[in-house]
Amino acid sequence: MTDDTHSSDPETPDPTTDRSGTRALVAARDAEAEPDTTEIRELAAAAGYVVVGTVTQRRREDPTYGLGRGRAEDLMRLAAETDAEAVIYDGSLSPGQTFSLGELLPAGVAVIDRPRLVLDRLATAADSRSADVQFELARLRYELPRLREVAARDRETVRLRPEGRGRVRDLERRIDALEDTLETVTADRSQRRAERRAAGFDLVVAAGYTNAGKSRLCRRLAESDDGGGADDDGGGVDGDIFNPDAPGSIADRPFGTVATSTTEATLGGRRALITDTVGFVDGVAHGTMASFRATLEAIRDADCVLLVIDASDDLDALREKLRVVLGAVGSTAGPVVPALNKADRVDAPHLAACADAVAATAAALQDEGVAVADALESPIPTSARDGTGCDDLVAAVVESLPTATTTLTVPYSDGVEAALSWAYDREVVADVAYRPEEVRVELAGRPSAVEAAARRFDQS
Ligand SMILES: Nc1nc2c(ncn2[C@@H]2O[C@H](COP(=O)(O)OP(=O)(O)OP(=O)(O)O)[C@@H](O)[C@H]2O)c(=O)[nH]1
Ligand SMILES: [Mg+2]
């Protein structure tokens, strides 16, 4: 990527730089309880940081630093002691707070809040050829008010610095250009979906919170036609390093997927395209999420959404993550089939409690007017690791797909054989009966494919 829009100020670190090995402190604050830093540490590690210290605080938000002044000063001392190069704040900081905290910390220590951590990771890891323009756009939209803040402070302190304003203008121009590109990318993807449907495919899209097991579940569904199959040893494919025997297994790997990918599969006799998407993460502002338009539209437009939920989470986390995902998705055209994945890690009572928590969260979201909550079917326990429940999941997905049936009786001819062969290829032939001089064909499956097949028989 060639991009001359980011600044070299410590407050606005260059997001294209490789972070591997960067020493970072984690700072977290929560008004209600002692902050839990598990997820932010995992996200930081996934983005390449080495966490060398943590400062937490239970108090309400401080308008200047996010943390209270005392804890912010602790952070400053700890940063000096540990030679930290970055402070990762588990929450959103306003442009002003980012600036103030940066001023307090030793020179050169970057301030990275949760949204920046997520956006940097997505924007830099995404393969630029797969045009994840959306992540780049999200990151720049996040950047703009911060750069304006820096430019405004520069004006106050060092008189007017025209290069600050120039950078803001460059960034605005780059955002405009990316918005145009995203418009085209989104239209192209929508067109491609229409073509795939016309070719007789059902579009199944896996969505869910990061680390829920979407990719592993998609691989398993694509591997075998019935969704079951041999045990997945967790090794090999895509460098999956899950080790079920590791003590206190560090199987959690957020940010595994940074671009959507689509695989062809046969689900219960229907030709489907399964799309694996980038996971959702809490703490990325709604406006920024709106930039993930191409991904959100793929989910909203799917014939069936496979909503992957990590059943090994505790119930509070499960509810919270479900809210994040469904809140961002908003509404879907088709049904949503939830999978309670990682069922191998938990017992039956916990799975039952998860199903209840999903139902209760969906009901609450429905009351709040989140339309997608209405589309939720009953959850199916699955294990992408050992294949348990995958047959049931496939059955539920197939059951939820749109189906049309029609019966035709046509005079026998070579044209009918050709039409039959075409219909077999698209998996829409439910029954064929040869009679003297004529053929009776029962078609069932994707409405567009059934219609197209029926037209071929008519013209045969
Ligand atoms: N025990 C167990 N581990 C699983 C299962 N499914 C996935 N995992 C592990 O959970 C971790 C995350 O799985 P992924 O498939 O990468 O999750 P994801 O939802 O695609 O994550 P993102 O791409 O970051 O959104 C990996 O270490 C997987 O091996 C499962 O059914 N059981
Ligand atoms: Mg993934």
Side-chain angles (χ1 to χ4, degrees):
M1 184 186 64
T2 51
D3 176 0
D4 54 2
T5 53
H6 41 257
S7 119
S8 55
D9 294 88
E11 296 82 6
T12 51
D14 179 353
T16 58
T17 307
D18 182 11
R19 300 261 166 253
S20 21
T22 303
R23 299 164 65 78
L25 298 176
V26 162
R29 179 202 59 78
D30 191 326
E32 322 274 275
E34 194 47 39
D36 177 355
T37 56
T38 317
E39 188 178 82
I40 194 75
R41 286 164 163 278
E42 278 168 14
L43 293 173
Y49 291 95
V50 177
V51 178
V52 293
T54 308
V55 169
T56 60
Q57 184 172 39
R58 181 175 174 181
R59 66 159 277 173
R60 65 184 194 294
E61 184 176 352
D62 178 86
T64 311
Y65 300 113
L67 298 168
R69 176 154 193 119
R71 292 309 267 157
E73 283 168 355
D74 290 346
L75 203 53
M76 171 185 75
R77 277 189 292 275
L78 193 59
E81 271 166 40
T82 58
D83 274 335
E85 303 156 83
V87 165
I88 297 172
Y89 183 84
D90 190 11
S92 284
L93 292 171
S94 70
Q97 287 169 328
T98 308
F99 189 91
S100 306
L101 197 54
E103 293 279 279
L104 184 71
L105 293 169
V109 177
V111 177
I112 314 240
D113 66 358
R114 182 186 258 266
R116 181 192 291 278
L117 181 67
V118 173
L119 295 174
D120 282 1
R121 162 72 184 168
L122 291 177
T124 53
D127 173 356
S128 56
R129 274 172 310 124
S130 70
D132 263 307
V133 170
Q134 38 179 0
F135 300 139
E136 177 65 358
L137 181 58
R139 186 177 64 74
L140 297 186
R141 277 184 178 153
Y142 166 92
E143 202 77 63
L144 184 60
R146 284 156 181 83
L147 197 54
R148 285 197 179 122
E149 178 80 16
V150 172
R153 305 250 179 166
D154 279 355
R155 271 203 294 280
E156 276 168 25
T157 51
V158 206
R159 293 184 37 236
L160 195 97
R161 274 219 304 214
E163 66 272 27
R165 272 195 320 203
R167 283 209 312 264
V168 169
R169 264 199 308 274
D170 285 350
L171 193 55
E172 285 167 345
R173 270 201 289 270
R174 175 118 177 93
I175 287 174
D176 282 347
L178 283 174
E179 272 167 357
D180 290 346
T181 313
L182 184 59
E183 197 72 41
T184 315
V185 168
T186 310
D188 286 353
R189 289 190 187 176
S190 165
Q191 164 80 21
R192 202 158 67 213
R193 282 197 293 277
E195 286 165 7
R196 287 167 163 177
R197 283 202 170 98
F201 287 105
D202 293 300
L203 307 185
V204 176
V205 177
Y209 203 82
T210 187
N211 197 52
K214 295 177 291 302
S215 297
R216 201 162 175 182
L217 200 54
C218 283
R219 283 204 297 274
R220 184 168 279 281
L221 297 189
E223 265 163 21
S224 61
D225 287 356
D226 59 6
D231 272 14
D232 173 355
D233 66 5
V237 201
D238 273 7
D240 193 336
I241 50 156
F242 175 72
N243 174 6
D245 302 324
S249 185
I250 326 267
D252 296 315
R253 297 188 309 147
F255 288 147
T257 305
V258 291
T260 54
S261 65
T262 296
T263 330
E264 194 175 329
T266 307
L267 300 179
R270 291 181 67 153
R271 296 202 313 161
L273 290 172
I274 304 178
T275 299
D276 181 20
T277 62
V278 177
F280 292 86
V281 187
D282 192 14
V284 181
H286 227 75
T288 315
M289 277 306 303
S291 306
F292 298 175
R293 216 176 107 188
T295 302
L296 286 171
E297 282 186 19
I299 296 169
R300 289 174 185 153
D301 186 37
D303 294 312
C304 172
V305 176
L306 179 55
L307 174 67
V308 186
I309 297 171
D310 186 342
S312 70
D313 274 332
D314 66 52
L315 295 176
D316 279 344
L318 182 144
R319 276 190 282 265
E320 216 26 64
K321 291 177 179 182
L322 193 56
R323 275 186 162 273
V324 169
V325 174
L326 296 183
V329 171
S331 63
T332 55
V336 178
V337 176
L340 292 174
N341 192 42
K342 307 197 189 178
D344 55 278
R345 279 180 163 188
V346 297
D347 57 14
H350 182 76
L351 279 176
C354 288
D356 289 346
V358 170
T361 308
L365 287 169
Q366 255 170 43
D367 289 347
E368 294 166 28
V370 179
V372 62
D374 238 355
L376 241 61
E377 318 232 325
S378 343
I380 316 279
T382 60
S383 165
R385 189 183 141 213
D386 65 22
T388 310
C390 289
D391 290 349
D392 295 340
L393 183 64
V394 168
V397 167
V398 171
E399 179 72 18
S400 78
L401 290 171
T403 295
T405 52
T406 188
T407 305
L408 310 159
T409 304
V410 286
Y412 186 79
S413 70
D414 286 350
V416 166
E417 277 305 320
L420 251 182
S421 144
W422 190 90
Y424 270 118
D425 280 350
R426 274 140 197 93
E427 317 256 2
V428 290
V429 181
D431 192 44
V432 183
Y434 289 91
R435 297 174 178 164
E437 311 292 314
E438 60 179 26
V439 187
R440 189 179 160 280
V441 187
E442 208 180 297
L443 300 172
R446 238 211 104 62
S448 60
V450 166
E451 245 172 66
R455 267 201 305 279
R456 283 184 179 247
F457 281 105
D458 277 350
Q459 291 159 5
S460 66

